[in-house]
Amino acid sequence: MTMPPQGDHQPQHAEHAYGGPTAPPAGAPAPGAPAPQPYSTAPSPGSPTYVGASPSRRSSSRTLGWVGVAVLYALVLWQLAVPTVRTLLMSMRESSFDGSGAPVGLTHWEAVAPQAVPGALMMMAAVLPATVVAAALGLVIAGGMTAQHRLAVPVRVVVGVLGALFVPIGTAALRYVDAGYELSLTGLSTTFTLAALPLLTALFATAFAPVLSAPAPVRGVAVVLVVGLAGALALGPQLFELVYLTATSEGTLPPMLLVQMLGFARMDVGPAAAVASMMLLGAGLLGVVAMLALLLTRTRLAPAVEPPAAPPRSGPAGLVVAAIVLVLGLLLVGPFLLAGLTDVGAVAPDIRPTELAVRTWLPAALGTLLQVGVAVLGGAAIGLCRPAGSRSLWLLLPLAPWLFVGPGPLVLVDFVDASEAGLLGTWWGTVPRPVVVVAAVVVLALLLDRVAQQPGPRARAQVATATAGIGALLLLVQGQSLLPGLITGMGAEPGAPVTVLLRLGQYGLRIGEVEPLLGLLLPIPVFLLVAALGVLAQLGTRGLAVTTGDAVAAAPAAVTPYPGQDPLPLR
C-alpha cells in the first residue's frame, strides 16, 4: 500500500492518511498568505542611519544629532541644572534673593525639615489612591484601545476627551465651600481624586495601550507602573493650585505652600530655598529611577501587529469603563463649562471675559509652543539622528533628574531672574517657564527613534499627532497655573486663575453667588480645542506597540514595495 509522504517531505496541509484534508493549526496564516517574520528594531532602508545608507549620509546625520544634543544639554544646563544649583546655594545662605548672605550650612534645612518632610509625605500619600485607581482603570480601558480591537476608535475618542476634563482651581474651590476641609490627608486626597482622576486615567490608558499591543506585555506594564508611580510621588509635593485656597500658617503644610509663604509672604528666602531643594532632590532621585526603568529594559516603540489569522478583539469592557469615567468627569467639570455660558457681568461687571481669556491663554500658548518646539528638536537629535547608534537613547540619562521637576521648586530663582530682566509685572513675566520639558523630550525621542528604524508617512503622522497631544496637555495645565500670575507676573493684569481667586476671596468664597466666575477658568473654546487635539493624538497613534528587552512583534512579510515606505498598512 502506498503511504503518504513522511518527515520533511510532508506538505504543510497534506491530505490525511484516510483521505480527509487536515485543517491548518489555529493562528496559522491562510494558504498562500505570506508567512510572518519578526519585526526588527534595526533601521530599515530609507533611514539615514540604515547600515546600507551611504557613509556620508550616516555621518552627516550623526553629526547633526551631536549638535542637537549639545544644544539640548546647553538649554538644560541653563534652565534646569544651574537654577537647581542656585536654589541649593540659596538654601545654605542667610535669607537673600541675590545670594549675598553669609553661609549658614544646613541650618535652614534643619529648621524646615520638621514641617517640610511631613508635608511632602502627606502630599505623596494624598495622590497615591487616585494614581492607583487611575492605573487600574487605564489598564482596563487600554485593552479596548489596541489596534486589533473592534472598538478601538470609540474608546480612543472617549480617552481623548477625558484628557481635557481638568479644572483644579474650580474643583478645589467647590470642595472648600462644600466641605470646608482643612489641609488634611483625607481632604487633600479627595480633592486630588475629584480634580485629576479623568486626566490620570487618560494618561495611564494612553501609556498602557501600546504596551498591550506587544507580544509580551508583562514587562512593559511593569515599566509603566514604575514610571507612573514615581511621577506621582515626585509631583505630589509640587502641587500648588489644589492647596492654595486653604493656605494657613498652622498644621502640616504642603511643601509648595511653605515655599510661597516663607519666600514671598515673609521674604525668608533661605528656609524657602531649603524646602524647594528637598523637593528637587526627591524628584531628581525618582526621575533617575524612572529613566533607568525605561533604559535598562530597552523600552522601544514598534509597529503593533498580530498574526494574520488572529480574530479581532471585541470585548466592551474598555469602552464601558471609559464611558463611566467620562460621565463622572463631565459631572465634575460640566458646571464650570456651563458657567462659562452665563453672564459674568452680574457679579463682576468690570471683567471682560474675552480679554481675560486672551490674557490667560495667549502666554500659555506661547510658552507651550516654545516647549514643544524644544522637545521636538531634542527628540529628533537623540531619536531620529541617533548620534550614538543603538545606544542613543542613553543620551536621555543626564536629563533624568528633571524628568518630574515642574516650575514650583525653581520659582525662587525664576523670580530673581525675572526681576533682573525687568519682566516682573509684565506680560512676558506670565509666559510659562522653563522651555525644556524633559518628559516631552523623552516621549518624542522614543517616537522619533521608531521613525529612524522604520521611516514612512505613517510613522511621521504618529509623531505629529502625538506632538499635538503633548501640546494640548501642556496648554491645559499651564493655562490654569497660579504660579506665573502670583510670582513673576504679579503687578501685571492678572489672568483667569488669579482673577477668580481674588474675586472668590472678595466674596468670601460664596460659590452660589459667584458661580459665573468659575466659567472663566476653562472657556468652552479652549476645552473643545484641547479635547480635539487629544482625540487627534489618540487616533493618530494607533498601531504602536511598546517592546522591552529582546521582544519582537510579528509583522507580515513582503509589505514594503519600495524603500522608505512605512512597513505596515494603515489600520
Side-chain angles (χ1 to χ4, degrees):
M1 181 176 66
T2 302
M3 300 295 293
Q6 303 292 325
D8 294 338
H9 302 285
Q10 179 76 29
Q12 182 177 2
H13 304 303
E15 294 281 326
H16 191 273
Y18 297 99
T22 302
Q37 58 182 219
Y39 168 78
S40 172
T41 57
S44 69
S47 168
T49 55
Y50 176 54
V51 293
S54 66
S56 61
R57 187 182 181 194
R58 280 185 288 154
S59 176
S60 62
S61 175
R62 291 193 172 188
T63 301
L64 184 62
W66 283 120
V67 172
V69 170
V71 173
L72 176 64
Y73 282 2
L75 286 173
V76 170
L77 185 67
W78 169 38
Q79 297 228 316
L80 295 173
V82 171
T84 298
V85 174
R86 289 171 60 190
T87 302
L88 291 169
L89 292 177
M90 290 170 66
S91 72
M92 293 183 283
R93 290 183 175 272
E94 290 182 353
S95 292
S96 174
F97 272 110
D98 60 8
S100 61
V104 294
L106 297 177
T107 302
H108 296 316
W109 290 61
E110 295 171 355
V112 299
Q115 289 181 294
V117 173
L121 294 176
M122 178 180 68
M123 294 303 297
M124 290 180 179
V127 303
L128 273 182
T131 303
V132 172
V133 172
L137 294 173
L139 186 60
V140 176
I141 294 171
M145 296 171 62
T146 58
Q148 302 83 14
H149 203 285
R150 294 183 186 274
L151 302 176
V153 171
V155 175
R156 285 182 173 270
V157 170
V158 173
V159 171
V161 176
L162 279 180
L165 299 176
F166 183 64
V167 188
I169 297 174
T171 304
L174 289 180
R175 271 285 299 162
Y176 181 80
V177 173
D178 292 342
Y181 76 99
E182 298 293 333
L183 282 175
S184 63
L185 175 59
T186 302
L188 289 171
S189 180
T190 302
T191 303
F192 180 78
T193 301
L194 294 174
L197 184 62
L199 176 59
L200 285 177
T201 301
L203 292 175
F204 271 110
T206 302
F208 279 131
V211 169
L212 297 183
S213 299
V218 176
R219 186 184 295 183
V221 169
V223 170
V224 171
L225 289 176
V226 168
V227 174
L229 291 176
L233 293 175
L235 294 172
Q238 302 177 48
L239 293 178
F240 183 64
E241 285 74 20
L242 289 176
V243 299
Y244 183 74
L245 278 176
T246 56
T248 176
S249 59
E250 300 177 357
T252 302
L253 298 182
M256 276 308 302
L257 273 186
L258 282 174
V259 172
Q260 192 270 337
M261 288 182 177
L262 294 172
F264 299 100
R266 302 179 185 176
M267 303 302 291
D268 206 356
V269 180
V275 178
S277 298
M278 292 178 185
M279 285 190 286
L280 287 169
L281 293 178
L285 177 60
L286 290 168
V288 171
V289 170
M291 188 72 79
L292 287 176
L294 289 171
L295 296 176
L296 291 176
T297 57
R298 287 176 287 176
T299 299
R300 298 292 188 274
L301 291 174
V305 293
E306 281 193 353
R313 306 168 188 169
S314 58
L319 182 59
V320 171
V321 174
I324 292 174
V325 178
L326 177 63
V327 170
L328 294 176
L330 288 174
L331 290 176
L332 294 171
V333 177
F336 309 129
L337 299 176
L338 295 177
L341 301 176
T342 61
D343 183 15
V344 73
V347 295
D350 58 321
I351 293 181
R352 295 177 174 83
T354 302
E355 293 182 8
L356 182 63
V358 172
R359 201 161 61 233
T360 302
W361 295 97
L362 186 58
L366 177 59
T368 298
L369 287 176
L370 292 174
Q371 292 163 341
V372 170
V374 169
V376 170
L377 294 177
I382 294 174
L384 185 62
C385 296
R386 296 166 63 93
S390 61
R391 300 178 183 270
S392 294
L393 290 182
W394 280 91
L395 295 171
L396 294 169
L397 187 58
L399 282 61
W402 298 279
L403 178 62
F404 299 129
V405 172
L410 301 175
V411 69
L412 295 168
V413 173
D414 194 22
F415 176 81
V416 174
D417 291 342
S419 177
E420 293 176 350
L423 297 179
L424 289 182
T426 67
W427 185 85
W428 285 102
T430 62
V431 176
R433 286 174 291 273
V435 298
V436 182
V437 180
V438 174
V441 176
V442 172
V443 173
L444 287 169
L446 288 171
L447 285 164
L448 288 163
D449 179 70
R450 179 263 195 271
V451 175
Q453 296 161 8
Q454 298 288 331
R458 187 184 184 195
R460 292 191 291 270
Q462 289 170 336
V463 173
T465 53
T467 302
I470 292 171
L473 177 60
L474 291 173
L475 177 66
L476 178 68
V477 173
Q478 295 180 142
Q480 301 182 75
S481 175
L482 280 171
L483 281 176
L486 287 177
I487 308 301
T488 57
M490 61 180 181
E493 287 290 326
V498 175
T499 297
V500 169
L501 282 184
L502 291 176
R503 295 307 174 95
L504 290 178
Q506 175 185 344
Y507 284 90
L509 286 174
R510 296 189 294 271
I511 297 295
E513 300 178 11
V514 291
E515 279 185 349
L517 289 174
L518 300 180
L520 302 173
L521 294 169
L522 183 61
I524 292 179
V526 176
F527 167 75
L528 294 176
L529 173 64
V530 173
L533 292 176
V535 171
L536 176 66
Q538 292 295 335
L539 296 179
T541 53
R542 283 187 303 157
L544 282 176
V546 170
T547 62
T548 56
D550 297 321
V552 294
V559 294
T560 306
Y562 57 90
Q565 182 187 1
D566 197 50
L568 295 176
L570 183 63
R571 290 182 181 274

